Amino acid sequence: GDQVEQSPSALSLHEGTGSALRCNFTTTMRAVQWFRKNSRGSLINLFYLASGTKENGRLKSAFDSKERYSTLHIRDAQLEDSGTYFCAALTGNTGKLIFGLGTTLQVQP
Amino acid sequence: AQTIHQWPVAEIKAVGSPLSLGCTIKGKSSPNLYWYWQATGGTLQQLFYSITVGQVESVVQLNLSASRPKDDQFILSTEKLLLSHSGFYLCAWSEGGPSQNTLYFGAGTRLSVL
């Protein structure tokens, strides 16, 4: 079935450094959305992409439907970036949003 | 098989008027329920989620409220609509937490506030 494989499951960064999170899809997805879980467990939207790339501050995301992946790049990581990040893919058929298992990011001084 | 039904399909309302959108899930007991708002560009914004009857968690403040009066029913409402409330409202359910499961969406309600 349709699946979203998110990696890495955990990531540790020092302040000021950067890295990338990745989601691979087993089928062609219509769009992808990246979320961050806040302290209350709610999902806060970071990016929604139907194609191409988007950038917001120190975050940048890309989505390639044909190659079946999406990435979230974090640069100049700050302590407050720590948390759990999720990608979610909107299937080609209507009505399903499939989440990856998440990446727990810890930013250290 | 589970079914999710949203009503109404579309609404045209005046600024300042009240609103009530409904969502019913059949064929699934104790689902997690969600309200999403699809904004310009297709971005899905989570508004509320509920894991059980009578318990609703607010994600963003948009001068809207939600209630779960029954296990299979989720209601989105406001007493006074704003122009900014226009958009597409989607109800969804999942078996567990949203981050480890698939969300199944209803057909949505198109709201135009004039």
Side-chain angles (χ1 to χ4, degrees), chain A residues 9-100:
Chain A
S9 58
L11 179 62
S12 181
L13 295 175
H14 287 289
E15 273 187 295
T17 64
S19 188
L21 284 57
R22 185 180 177 101
C23 281
N24 292 324
F25 314 121
T26 56
T27 60
T28 300
M29 300 296 185
R30 184 152 55 101
V32 68
Q33 192 154 357
W34 285 90
F35 297 91
R36 178 181 168 181
K37 182 181 279 190
N38 69 7
S39 58
R40 292 165 60 200
S42 303
L43 293 177
I44 306 303
N45 174 60
L46 297 176
F47 294 102
Y48 177 94
L49 299 99
S51 65
T53 63
K54 284 187 180 178
E55 192 165 356
N56 185 5
R58 295 177 290 101
L59 298 178
K60 182 177 179 179
S61 183
F63 173 49
D64 191 324
S65 175
K66 185 179 178 184
E67 298 299 323
R68 301 181 183 177
Y69 77 90
S70 178
T71 55
L72 177 69
H73 291 261
I74 301 173
R75 63 176 174 83
D76 188 25
Q78 303 297 305
L79 295 175
E80 57 266 29
D81 293 333
S82 296
T84 304
Y85 294 77
F86 296 93
C87 71
L90 200 61
T91 65
N93 301 318
T94 58
K96 277 206 298 187
L97 186 68
I98 305 173
F99 282 78

Side-chain angles (χ1 to χ4, degrees), chain B residues 31-43:
Chain B
N32 284 12
L33 297 177
Y34 311 85
W35 277 110
Y36 276 79
W37 176 54
Q38 191 166 23
T40 303
T43 301

Side-chain angles (χ1 to χ4, degrees), chain B residues 15-63:
Chain B
V15 169
S17 63
L19 174 76
S20 181
L21 303 181
C23 176
T24 299
I25 290 82
K26 296 298 181 187
K28 179 66 188 171
S29 63
S30 304
N32 284 12
L33 297 177
Y34 311 85
W35 277 110
Y36 276 79
W37 176 54
Q38 191 166 23
T40 303
T43 301
L44 290 167
Q45 176 68 66
Q46 189 178 15
L47 300 177
F48 299 94
Y49 68 89
S50 170
I51 61 174
T52 191
V53 174
Q55 183 270 334
V56 176
E57 186 74 25
S58 173
V59 178
V60 293
Q61 295 298 323
L62 285 180
N63 293 308

